[in-house]
Amino acid sequence: MPSLDTTFAALADPTRRAILARLAAGEASVNELADPFSMSQPAISKHLKVLERAGLISRGRDAQRRPARLEAAPLADANAWLETYREYWTESFEALDRLLARTKPTTTSRRRPIRRS
Amino acid sequence: MPSLDTTFAALADPTRRAILARLAAGEASVNELADPFSMSQPAISKHLKVLERAGLISRGRDAQRRPARLEAAPLADANAWLETYREYWTESFEALDRLLARTKPTTTSRRRPIRRS
């Protein structure tokens, strides 16, 4: 059972997030992933192992290609955890809006028009 | 500017997630956090440093207490990233539902009623 620990740790890397984004468009082999990422196959394989342990991908049975496929369920769990904080970030954005509204310069309308020569 | 890398890395630890949950109820000093977590103050301080670097908390100016306060904006960014995958997990849950519906044992209705003696 993948935990939030392994899910968040797997997501804390830009290459692994990019691999997931690529797999969202359809399954791909290590070869097919290595090319656009300009990475070696062993480097891609290492990232795929982390993603697989986190349950974020599964590998196909085709022994040659072993295509990787996105498994989104752990992302749903991570999302559910983050959702419990939604009221807090909504609140802080609203506070920021209020602050910006108060500190907005009122001189804009008094600015001279630019004359084109 | 905290990145998704530092946000997800900071969230990949159960104590740090629990500290955020505690701070959602209001700010707290290291002392106030160490007690319920049965952890030493240095251990809590270490976790707070990771959370602060990730922009997930800020520390108050009171030199004695330096109360930690939840800063939810990076959680909103992490949530926005996860949201782009919503259709995938919704899809996989629906596929699971269909699978469960197909494999549901049809013998339930033929089960003998339990006789109470």
Side-chain angles (χ1 to χ4, degrees), chain A residues 32-51:
Chain A
E32 288 159 351
L33 287 168
D35 211 35
F37 286 104
S38 312
M39 284 182 96
S40 69
Q41 290 190 23
I44 291 287
S45 287
K46 220 167 152 184
H47 283 307
L48 291 182
K49 260 177 207 145
V50 176
L51 291 170

Side-chain angles (χ1 to χ4, degrees), chain B residues 35-65:
Chain B
D35 210 36
F37 285 105
S38 313
M39 284 180 99
S40 70
Q41 290 190 24
I44 290 286
S45 288
K46 220 168 154 184
H47 282 307
L48 291 182
K49 263 180 204 141
V50 177
L51 291 170
E52 196 175 10
R53 268 199 300 271
L56 286 161
I57 65 162
S58 59
R59 305 293 298 272
R61 290 193 189 176
D62 174 346
Q64 286 293 321
R65 294 183 66 238

Side-chain angles (χ1 to χ4, degrees), chain A residues 7-13 16-17 20 56 75, chain B residues 4 8 81-82:
Chain A
T7 303
F8 283 132
L11 295 180
D13 179 279
R16 287 197 290 271
R17 291 196 303 278
L20 292 179
L56 286 162
L75 298 177
Chain B
L4 283 174
F8 283 133
W81 185 86
L82 284 163

